[in-house]
C-alpha cells in the first residue's frame, strides 16, 4: 500500500480495529501489517496461506467483503474508507518460499 501524506495514523488505526474473519478461513496461517521504516507511507499486508487457492477463496468470500467494508458491524460510527487514504489501489503479489531460517 502507498498511503497518502497525512493519512498514515488513520490507515493504521483502521487496520488495528477492523473486524477480521481470517481465522475462520480454510488455509489461513497468519497475517501482519508491515510498515516500511525507510519509505514513508509504504505498507505491506502480509498474509500466509497454505495455498494460493485458499487466498483466492478468501478474497472472493463474503467475509472478505464484510471486513473490507467501511460499514463493518464492529464500528460504532462509519469507519473511514482506506481506499481514500491510498495513492492507488493495492496490487497483490504472490511469493513462494525458497528458504527459511528460524530460531526455533
Amino acid at each position: 500500500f502507498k498511503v497518502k501524506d497525512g493519512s498514515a495514523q488513520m490507515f493504521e488505526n483502521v487496520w488495528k480495529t477492523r473486524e477480521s474473519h481470517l481465522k475462520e478461513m480454510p488455509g489461513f496461517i497468519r497475517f501482519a501489517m508491515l510498515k516500511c521504516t525507510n519509505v514513508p507511507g509504504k505498507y505491506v499486508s502480509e498474509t500466509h496461506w497454505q495455498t494460493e487457492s485458499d487466498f483466492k477463496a478468501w478474497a472472493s468470500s463474503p467475509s472478505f467483503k464484510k471486513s473490507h467494508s467501511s460499514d463493518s458491524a464492529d464500528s460504532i460510527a462509519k469507519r473511514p474508507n482506506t481506499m481514500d487514504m491510498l495513492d492507488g489501489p493495492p496490487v497483490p503479489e504472490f511469493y513462494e518460499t525458497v528458504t527459511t531460517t528460524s530460531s526455533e
Side-chain angles (χ1 to χ4, degrees):
F1 297 98
K2 177 62 177 138
V3 177
K4 294 177 183 175
D5 289 343
S7 295
Q9 189 61 51
M10 188 182 312
F11 179 81
E12 290 179 23
N13 287 340
V14 167
W15 279 91
K16 289 176 183 177
T17 61
R18 80 180 325 133
E19 183 179 357
S20 176
H21 299 277
L22 288 169
K23 292 180 182 179
E24 303 162 11
M25 297 302 297
F28 172 72
I29 298 171
R30 70 178 173 171
F31 167 83
M33 176 59 73
L34 306 174
K35 177 181 177 178
C36 186
T37 59
N38 65 320
V39 180
K42 185 174 182 179
Y43 292 80
V44 174
S45 170
E46 178 187 60
T47 54
H48 292 245
W49 297 88
Q50 289 179 0
T51 67
E52 187 175 332
S53 296
D54 290 333
F55 167 78
K56 289 179 178 180
W58 155 246
S60 63
S61 73
S63 293
F64 177 91
K65 290 172 185 65
K66 183 179 178 185
S67 67
H68 288 77
S69 167
S70 59
D71 295 324
S72 183
D74 69 339
S75 302
I76 295 171
K78 186 174 179 177
R79 193 174 59 203
N81 184 342
T82 55
M83 293 305 292
D84 294 338
M85 301 174 208
L86 302 178
D87 279 333
V91 179
E93 297 177 346
F94 300 94
Y95 297 87
E96 292 180 355
T97 302
V98 174
T99 184
T100 60
T101 302
S102 175
S103 64
E104 299 171 359

